[in-house]
Amino acid sequence: MSPLTTPTTTLEPVWQAWWRSGRLSQYLLLLACVAGVVGLLTSRALIALSPVVGVLAALANPGIARQVPSWLRLRTVWGPAALYGLLLLSALYTQDWPTWRHEAFRLLPWLGVPLAFGLAVPLSGRQRCGVGVLYVVGVALVGAATVGQYLLDPTAANIAFGSGQSMPSITRIFHIHFGLMLALATFFGLSLRREPVATSLLRGRCCWP
């Protein structure tokens, strides 16, 4: 008579479970979006680095092999890829390497964003809402702080305006760019009001899953 054997269960690592379920890819994409929004408000370096996290989100998608053929057929992919290809081609004859590296760093979003949003696990509705709210509230706060900066010394600001100097935002965003961001934040805010989770958001509940 053979002795009884009891089955043993091997616990799957948390990261592996997240990878198999697609949550790792989804949360990496969420991190890339948050870094991009914060970068728009504070630092250009974050804007360029956020697509790197987005590429990691795409690579972490367990179903990436099934999505690549469809992704390659997207016309929105080939334009940025060709632009970056021309930049890499220019490395063969450039002599101004600091400028070349700066341009390669600056154009990273053109390559990383289509890859991230085309191949990573999509964000949930609540996550998209959270990113939108972060952008709208962030732009509003920077705008309010910029107005406060103007009110602290309006005479100096008016003298600068008279000499053709425009006032940047308090986080040093160029005034034309920040004006566009304010306009987009206004329309995004109106759009967010129609989101299914907007009611919960207005009641003060968190927008994250």
Side-chain angles (χ1 to χ4, degrees):
M1 186 174 183
S2 60
L4 295 176
T5 59
T6 57
T8 58
T9 58
T10 303
L11 293 177
E12 189 177 38
V14 175
W15 72 266
Q16 193 171 356
W18 275 39
W19 174 76
R20 290 184 183 278
S21 65
R23 293 179 66 188
L24 178 61
S25 175
Q26 187 182 62
Y27 276 90
L28 283 173
L29 181 60
L30 177 62
L31 177 61
C33 293
V34 170
V37 171
V38 175
L40 283 173
L41 298 174
T42 59
S43 170
R44 291 184 180 181
L46 275 178
I47 299 175
L49 290 175
S50 59
V52 177
V53 183
V55 171
L56 294 177
L59 296 176
N61 184 356
I64 187 173
R66 297 189 303 270
Q67 292 184 225
V68 167
S70 300
W71 178 74
L72 289 175
R73 289 193 292 268
L74 293 175
R75 295 181 180 179
T76 53
V77 170
W78 290 104
L83 178 66
Y84 220 82
L86 288 174
L87 179 64
L88 294 177
L89 183 63
S90 68
L92 298 176
Y93 58 83
T94 186
Q95 295 180 344
D96 189 0
W97 286 106
T99 301
W100 188 90
R101 286 192 295 267
H102 172 75
E103 290 299 317
F105 186 73
R106 188 175 67 87
L107 293 176
L108 272 178
W110 286 92
L111 189 65
V113 171
L115 178 65
F117 284 94
L119 294 178
V121 175
L123 299 179
S124 67
R126 289 182 180 272
Q127 289 170 336
R128 290 194 302 270
C129 175
V131 173
V133 169
L134 177 64
Y135 176 81
V136 172
V137 173
V139 171
L141 290 176
V142 173
T146 303
V147 172
Q149 184 185 39
Y150 169 80
L151 294 176
L152 287 175
D153 193 1
T155 303
N158 289 332
I159 293 175
F161 294 155
S163 62
Q165 299 179 16
S166 298
M167 182 178 178
S169 73
I170 196 170
T171 55
R172 312 309 299 174
I173 304 173
F174 185 53
H175 66 281
I176 295 179
H177 297 164
F178 189 63
L180 292 173
M181 291 171 63
L182 283 170
L184 288 173
T186 301
F187 289 106
F188 288 166
L190 294 175
S191 178
L192 286 172
R193 294 182 59 189
R194 296 193 292 268
E195 290 293 322
V197 295
T199 302
S200 299
L201 178 65
L202 292 176
R203 287 201 300 264
R205 296 180 182 177
C206 185
C207 196
W208 307 99

